[in-house]
Amino acid sequence: MAEEAITEASVEASGEASVEASVEARAEGVPAAEAWIPRVSRRAALRDGLRAYGLIVGMWMRSTMAYRASFVMTAFGNFAATAFDFVAILLMFAHVDALGGYSLPEVAFLYGTSATAFGLSDLALGSMDRLGRRVRDGTLDTLLLRPVPVLAQVAADRFALRRLGRIAQGLLVLGYALLTVDIDWTVTRALMLPMMVLSGAAIFSAVFVAGAAFQFWAQDASEVQNSFTYGGTTLLQYPPTLFAKDLVRGVTFVVPLAFVNWIPALYVLGREDPLGLPDLAAFLPPLVAVVCCALAGVAWRAGLRAYRSTGS
Amino acid sequence: MSTDGTGFIELDGVEKVFDVRRKAGLLRREKHQVRAVDGISFRVPRGEMVGYIGPNGAGKSTTIKMLTGILTPSGGRLRVAGIDPSRERTRLAQRIGVVFGQRTTLWWDLPLIDSYRLMHRMYRVPDARFRVNLERCVELLDLAELLDVPVRQLSLGQRMRGDIAAALLHDPEVLYLDEPTIGLDVISKAKVREFLRDLNAERGTTVLLTTHDLTDIEQLCKRVMVIDHGRLLYDGGLAGLHEVGESERTLVVDLERELPPIEVPGARAVRVEGPRQWLAFPAAESAAPLVARIAAEYPLVDLSVREPDIEAVIAKMYADRSAV
């Protein structure tokens, strides 16, 4: 699992890193006479970003594994701390039979998919909220000196393998849900499961990157980012019927977190969408993920460009 | 072509303007512009070692950041090895090395050797080349016992040597050093200077050095550039700096007894302490006629001539400049 998570995660990370170099190249008006200068192609930049991400992550993993006992303990701590969220849900179900019309296995399904998707992106990009501090204390400059994309370096910085604890916890709850929930399984519904976890991870990753990009302008904004990432995943662990319609609309159309699990999960569970969206919406997560990542990439580039012209 | 053969580093009227917002009231903000670098032009040929000095906030670090591509210039033309740094930052990164005295480029929590291994891969240094460079740096910078120590546990001097090594593992053609000896003790400073001198002599690495410590410049650089308020005040040899700064030499005269301040044309008494007097005269003038005159008119016991120190020269230059 670990291996899989990391490869998958690194793909996302540099998916966004890729665009950076090519755009930097045309950040300023390019005099025609010098247009011969070869540009780093998007694909090459993607490869470079991926490779750099892998190198740095590899180093942090080796360093983590040098203290195996410490790793096991911190990973378990991560597991336990995040599992309390589900314990809270279990406690609620000790008193009620349904939450917003959803049974415990159904809530567990929402919880497991959201927690796993978020866990993957948190493992891959969870360190990005340190960007604001790097901008403030000037250490971002040292990253700009290296011949690899900055996004890959920021994403891989202090890669925390202990975050596997959160993924393990999410998968455990998801496993419980799949064993107990009453789903009318079809091939489409079965395929929906990996699709929603991967797309969800990509959507959360885009939020991480966009949030980090925002910190180029507002260095103390990591809490804003956290409210969308950590806050978002907590929201998605509960049925949408519990929340006000306007909030559900917000996370559907503004910050499209609803596509992480709510919309596709409702389809898998055979339930009505509270906003009355057609079934087709359940198949949109990959598309939404691609759009989100592209927008996050644009935001990142704009942020980095602003930093390089103001130096603060 | 972007290079004309004379300059490895070329700046033509380079400018950097920052918008600074200041709080003016609860919500209102005043916006005004700061010209951190205000039209600087210079050329540094390959293999030269140049000192770049100026007071705090003069624009030194901003210039270095533009030369590395971290910052995009607001105006002017800038080339390093024929590359426009801000447009091709990552390509340039392969060819330059940078040492910031105030902050490390190493990975703080990891052993020194881990940083080096990562640099090896990041910069795609061929294995054999990396081994040779690492061995050389470890030997000359005395790093053997520090390789397994996490960077955060290194002393300032050790960390600085570690940083210099890190900047050189990929054989950069040019090395920028921003305050490389700041906070170091005398022995560490000497070690760093010796290493830089050898690097420049043996490898022909172009070096641009900013510093507050003028001994760095005196011992390392034949050429020095002085910057203040974003403008270049002086660019030339170290000796010429004295003339530009209209510096003065000091004649220290010991008389037989206490006397009123000596009055001779071409010199003025700047200090009197018992029988000893200090006379200032223009550095460009010869001391001989002055000495002859004083010897003829006063009861002279002993005398000596003191050369102006460069620090005073530069201080005078700044003072003159801001007085205008």
Side-chain angles (χ1 to χ4, degrees):
Chain A
M1 179 60 230
E3 211 45 46
E4 209 176 281
I6 288 147
T7 358
E8 187 264 337
S10 55
V11 171
E12 285 158 28
S14 37
E16 289 125 22
S18 61
V19 255
E20 182 199 314
S22 56
V23 166
E24 269 173 38
R26 53 187 149 81
E28 301 289 312
V30 179
E34 285 165 3
W36 58 269
I37 294 172
R39 301 284 155 67
V40 186
S41 76
R42 226 164 251 242
R43 183 173 302 210
L46 170 65
R47 212 176 42 232
D48 280 356
L50 252 170
R51 178 176 171 275
Y53 183 85
L55 285 174
I56 301 170
V57 163
M59 181 184 68
W60 284 106
M61 279 173 46
R62 272 194 302 282
S63 153
T64 307
M65 283 309 173
Y67 304 95
R68 228 166 266 262
S70 158
F71 162 68
V72 170
M73 268 155 60
T74 52
F76 180 75
N78 192 268
F79 174 89
T82 53
F84 270 117
D85 287 347
F86 191 65
V87 172
I89 291 175
L90 286 177
L91 286 175
M92 280 184 240
F93 272 97
H95 298 283
V96 296
D97 291 330
L99 214 52
Y102 284 63
S103 66
L104 176 59
E106 285 175 316
V107 173
F109 184 73
L110 290 174
Y111 183 102
T113 46
S114 165
T116 308
F118 180 72
L120 289 173
S121 71
D122 186 43
L123 178 70
L125 301 172
S127 305
M128 288 206 75
D129 61 357
R130 290 168 41 84
L131 183 81
R133 197 189 320 170
R134 280 192 168 279
V135 171
R136 223 176 16 235
D137 67 18
T139 50
L140 186 70
D141 286 351
T142 61
L143 306 189
L144 279 153
L145 295 174
R146 299 187 188 127
V148 295
V150 177
L151 182 56
Q153 295 182 68
V154 174
D157 187 40
R158 289 167 183 266
F159 180 82
L161 202 56
R162 64 168 185 281
R163 292 188 174 127
L164 284 173
R166 184 190 285 274
I167 298 174
Q169 180 262 148
L171 285 172
L172 211 65
V173 175
L174 185 59
Y176 161 78
L178 292 177
L179 290 175
T180 54
V181 79
D182 185 21
I183 293 176
D184 180 14
W185 285 109
T186 63
V187 175
T188 325
R189 283 186 170 148
L191 286 176
M192 198 69 118
L193 196 63
M195 184 274 280
M196 63 193 275
V197 168
L198 293 181
S199 306
I203 292 172
F204 273 126
S205 298
V207 176
F208 268 115
V209 172
F214 186 54
Q215 291 176 38
F216 279 114
W217 291 282
Q219 279 106 63
D220 302 310
S222 66
E223 289 311 315
V224 178
Q225 175 186 339
N226 289 345
S227 69
F228 284 110
T229 51
Y230 294 87
T233 183
T234 308
L235 181 80
L236 296 177
Q237 288 163 1
Y238 292 90
T241 45
L242 278 184
F243 301 100
K245 275 251 168 79
D246 282 335
L247 181 67
V248 178
R249 273 193 205 104
V251 295
T252 306
F253 300 113
V254 184
V255 183
L257 293 176
F259 288 92
V260 171
N261 68 343
W262 277 355
I263 293 170
L266 294 179
Y267 173 83
V268 174
L269 296 172
R271 282 184 171 265
E272 282 294 303
D273 185 285
L275 296 181
L277 293 177
D279 272 359
L280 185 68
F283 299 92
L284 289 180
L287 193 66
V288 172
V290 168
V291 172
C292 286
C293 288
L295 288 176
V298 170
W300 174 264
R301 266 144 43 195
L304 192 62
R305 189 155 65 233
Y307 175 80
R308 293 179 62 211
S309 65
T310 61
S312 64
Chain B
M1 272 305 287
S2 50
T3 38
D4 59 15
T6 60
F8 186 64
I9 301 172
E10 301 179 347
L11 286 83
D12 290 297
V14 169
E15 292 176 7
K16 183 70 209 180
V17 182
F18 293 117
D19 283 335
V20 181
R21 272 170 235 269
R22 240 200 325 238
K23 265 196 183 142
L26 197 59
L27 288 172
R28 232 163 49 79
R29 299 219 163 170
E30 264 170 18
K31 202 168 138 181
H32 67 115
Q33 290 196 323
V34 175
R35 305 187 76 81
V37 171
D38 193 4
I40 283 188
S41 305
F42 64 76
R43 277 174 167 49
V44 178
R46 193 182 278 273
E48 199 169 50
M49 206 162 179
V50 184
Y52 194 54
I53 59 180
N56 287 327
K60 298 180 303 242
S61 293
T62 305
T63 312
I64 298 259
K65 284 182 185 176
M66 287 193 284
L67 286 170
T68 54
I70 293 175
L71 282 179
T72 316
S74 318
R77 183 177 170 281
L78 201 155
R79 291 289 181 277
V80 177
I83 295 174
D84 179 347
S86 71
R87 289 227 330 270
E88 294 192 84
R89 176 174 55 77
T90 45
R91 191 159 82 99
L92 182 68
Q94 293 281 358
R95 304 180 61 175
I96 62 173
V98 186
V99 177
F100 288 125
Q102 311 272 31
R103 62 183 65 118
T104 184
T105 56
L106 303 164
W107 278 264
W108 196 245
D109 296 304
L110 300 175
L112 198 52
I113 188 71
D114 280 6
S115 284
Y116 293 159
R117 288 197 183 117
L118 197 53
M119 301 257 182
H120 172 198
R121 301 256 161 255
M122 263 193 189
Y123 285 86
R124 299 171 195 267
V125 185
D127 293 350
R129 193 71 231 163
F130 174 76
R131 263 196 308 278
V132 170
N133 288 348
L134 183 62
E135 265 169 36
R136 182 189 145 90
C137 285
V138 165
E139 188 198 322
L140 294 178
L141 289 167
D142 244 341
L143 295 171
E145 277 158 32
L146 307 176
L147 288 176
D148 294 318
V149 181
V151 174
R152 69 182 127 76
Q153 288 175 20
L154 299 177
S155 76
L156 193 60
Q158 292 170 334
R159 202 219 77 204
M160 182 61 66
R161 284 183 275 138
D163 256 312
I164 292 176
L168 294 171
L169 294 175
H170 58 288
D171 285 320
E173 293 156 76
V174 54
L175 181 64
Y176 305 118
L177 300 139
D178 196 2
E179 304 279 358
T181 59
I182 198 161
L184 301 193
D185 61 60
V186 182
I187 297 166
S188 298
K189 275 184 186 179
K191 213 178 255 178
V192 165
R193 284 180 196 136
E194 190 191 336
F195 180 80
L196 293 176
R197 209 164 22 229
D198 291 352
L199 178 81
N200 176 255
E202 288 169 25
R203 299 244 168 147
T205 308
T206 310
V207 179
L208 186 71
L209 174 85
T210 82
T211 184
H212 269 101
D213 187 339
L214 291 163
T215 324
D216 287 347
I217 304 279
E218 281 171 341
Q219 295 197 357
L220 293 173
C221 308
K222 289 197 189 73
R223 177 178 165 197
V224 57
M225 294 186 281
V226 182
I227 180 179
D228 192 25
H229 295 298
R231 287 169 184 271
L232 216 51
L233 296 188
Y234 176 80
D235 180 356
L238 201 54
L241 201 55
H242 297 306
E243 287 158 35
V244 171
E246 292 166 3
S247 62
E248 293 177 318
R249 287 194 282 173
T250 311
L251 188 64
V252 185
V253 181
D254 284 330
L255 303 174
E256 275 174 8
R257 58 185 185 277
E258 280 186 49
L259 281 171
I262 295 173
E263 282 176 34
V264 282
R268 60 197 163 84
V270 288
R271 197 168 145 205
V272 179
E273 250 177 48
R276 174 171 285 191
Q277 300 199 4
W278 284 260
L279 296 160
F281 65 101
E285 303 284 311
S286 163
L290 195 63
V291 172
R293 184 105 186 221
I294 294 169
E297 295 176 17
Y298 293 87
L300 195 60
V301 178
D302 194 10
L303 57 79
S304 63
V305 177
R306 288 195 189 153
E307 293 300 322
D309 75 68
I310 191 165
E311 219 147 331
V313 172
I314 288 168
K316 191 161 187 305
M317 210 157 157
Y318 294 148
D320 289 354
R321 171 106 192 161
S322 43
V324 172

